[in-house]
Amino acid sequence: MDGKGIGITLTRHIYESQQVHPEATGEFSDMLNQIAWAAKVVSREVNKAGLVELLGLTGEKNVQGEQVQKLDRFANEVFTSVISGSGHFCIMASEEMAEAQPIEASAYKTGRYSIAFDPLDGSSNIDVNVSIGTIFAIHRRVTEGQAGTEADLLQPGRKLVAAGYVVYGSSTMLVMSTGNGVHGFTLDPSVGEFLKSHPDIQIPARGKTYSVNEGNFPYWSDGVRRYVAYMKQKDPSTGRPYGSRYIGSMVADVHRTLLRGGIFMYPADSKDPLKPHGKLRLLYECSPMAFLIERAGGAASTGRSRVLDVEPETLHQRVPFFAGSVENVREAERFIAEHDEDG
Ligand code: AHG
Ligand code: MN
Ligand code: MN
């Protein structure tokens, strides 16, 4: 606790980090506070979804061909409304919207940033009261003119200026980075403030937990199957077999991996010929999570190369994802390099 022992708010944290990085103008503070505000509104509804008829399906399908949950749509409406009204963004992209939405400059403001977000991650877990989340990725715009274009969104993750996620779990936490350390803030609902609870998160160099949907085992490449089988072999000298944890919400699985170490994976699989690169989307799931994990001292790979170096081609493109403790990710890459054809 600091000051009068009342904790450091998100606002104060951003202000203090600005003192070190003047280029992060007051605009950054307001931008991140706007996102925090949207997260508070979504958190309030998530925590009473069962009571206000926000559970269940809307009956619609999104661009991913997935059923849209009522909470998906609600969260998307909250974030698009706050983002488009903030004055900071020139264009936004959401998992729930087929096309990117340009944001016209207002009389007083032209947005200098673009944002891609997953308004509600882990939708399949909404109705069973398991942790879900929101993920966001912020780039500096690269185009001129009134509103932004897709070029402002289709930038490699290594150029991100900020990224973060919110996990709506036993408590609501916002974990973010503007490039200098990864910090966790826990929402105190009694005062409606995010208070810094996890300063400077560092992921362990190696962990003994792996996180993957083993139901996809028959559809994985030979290298991935051998790697997962390796982690389950009995060898006390290398701490194997590892423990298995899989929640099915990327935000929750990545959050645990960030705090405890180990590896979270969504490998490519042959289950759906239309999705040869696995299920997770680059722009608003893999890139922001890779940014955070690397800033916390970890690694994030497609199995063959650094996620943050992937040059995006389309808004909703997918990539295989292996992320967490550096030693675990490098081990996965070795199995793939040794047993899979070059691909
Ligand atoms: P979303 O709900 O935003 O579509 O994301 C769900 C993703 C991700 O949260 C999770 O890691 C993955 O789906 C789980 O997929 P499987 O159920 O196929 O394991
Ligand atoms: Mn998601
Ligand atoms: Mn989603």
Side-chain angles (χ1 to χ4, degrees):
M1 291 292 213
D2 81 301
K4 296 178 283 306
I6 54 174
I8 295 179
T9 63
L10 175 63
T11 306
R12 176 158 169 202
H13 167 81
I14 299 166
Y15 175 72
E16 285 176 349
S17 53
Q18 267 168 31
Q19 307 315 306
V20 181
H21 301 279
E23 76 280 0
T25 64
E27 176 171 28
F28 239 48
S29 303
D30 184 57
M31 175 178 20
L32 291 166
N33 271 304
Q34 295 281 338
I35 291 168
W37 158 240
K40 291 175 194 173
V41 173
V42 172
S43 173
R44 181 186 61 197
E45 296 311 307
V46 164
N47 290 332
K48 60 181 184 182
L51 303 174
V52 291
E53 275 310 294
L54 263 177
L55 296 181
L57 301 173
T58 58
E60 301 153 16
K61 283 200 171 183
N62 64 11
V63 64
Q64 328 279 342
E66 295 162 344
Q67 290 287 345
V68 176
Q69 302 271 359
K70 290 176 186 169
L71 219 44
D72 280 325
R73 185 169 59 189
F74 173 79
N76 193 56
E77 285 163 3
V78 170
F79 276 93
T80 49
S81 160
V82 168
I83 286 165
S84 47
S86 73
H88 298 303
F89 300 100
C90 62
I91 191 164
M92 63 182 163
S94 163
E95 177 199 335
E96 299 304 329
M97 302 189 295
E99 306 299 328
Q101 282 199 0
I103 300 169
E104 291 302 326
S106 66
Y108 68 98
K109 198 87 178 60
T110 302
R112 294 196 307 138
Y113 299 92
S114 71
I115 185 167
F117 60 97
D118 178 357
L120 205 86
D121 175 68
S123 307
S124 63
N125 280 325
I126 292 173
D127 292 359
V128 293
N129 205 16
V130 168
S131 296
I132 51 183
T134 297
I135 310 168
F136 62 90
I138 296 171
H139 280 291
R140 196 169 279 105
R141 77 176 298 182
V142 292
T143 62
E144 301 299 324
Q146 284 299 308
T149 70
E150 275 202 3
D152 296 304
L153 292 158
L154 297 176
Q155 300 183 59
R158 66 173 177 274
K159 293 186 177 169
L160 282 167
V161 292
Y165 61 81
V166 185
V167 50
Y168 309 105
S170 46
S171 64
T172 293
M173 264 192 78
L174 169 67
V175 176
M176 48 77 85
S177 175
T178 56
N180 303 292
V182 178
H183 309 281
F185 300 83
T186 299
L187 180 63
D188 177 343
S190 67
V191 292
E193 273 292 356
F194 279 104
L195 299 177
K196 187 149 69 169
S197 52
H198 296 69
D200 200 18
I201 297 171
Q202 293 288 321
I203 188 169
R206 172 176 281 279
K208 293 197 173 36
T209 301
Y210 73 98
S211 181
V212 69
N213 181 345
E214 296 222 40
N216 293 331
F217 190 90
Y219 306 105
W220 290 335
S221 69
D222 185 34
V224 172
R225 277 190 284 207
R226 286 171 182 265
Y227 174 53
V228 173
Y230 166 80
M231 288 189 285
K232 297 201 282 191
Q233 279 166 353
K234 197 171 165 191
D235 173 12
S237 69
T238 55
R240 289 180 292 148
Y242 286 176
S244 169
R245 288 284 182 281
Y246 192 71
I247 298 168
S249 296
M250 181 188 198
V251 170
D253 282 317
V254 168
H255 185 61
R256 182 202 54 250
T257 304
L258 203 54
L259 296 182
R260 299 276 172 77
I263 187 166
F264 166 74
M265 303 179 269
Y266 208 106
D269 61 55
S270 57
K271 202 161 46 172
D272 179 347
L274 296 177
K275 298 174 187 166
H277 303 298
K279 177 179 184 182
L280 299 182
R281 282 62 50 128
L282 176 63
L283 240 50
Y284 41 80
E285 290 175 320
C286 298
S287 267
M289 290 308 202
F291 178 80
L292 293 168
I293 287 168
E294 284 202 7
R295 289 291 173 297
S301 170
T302 64
R304 293 193 181 277
S305 61
R306 187 182 179 224
V307 169
L308 293 184
D309 287 338
V310 175
E311 294 288 343
E313 290 162 13
T314 58
L315 286 184
H316 302 290
Q317 80 181 69
R318 302 165 194 266
V319 290
F321 192 67
F322 300 78
S325 298
V326 175
E327 291 176 22
N328 297 75
V329 174
R330 296 296 170 249
E331 201 165 59
E333 289 175 329
R334 281 196 298 276
F335 273 85
I336 290 166
E338 193 175 327
H339 299 287
D340 289 355
E341 304 80 53
D342 284 343

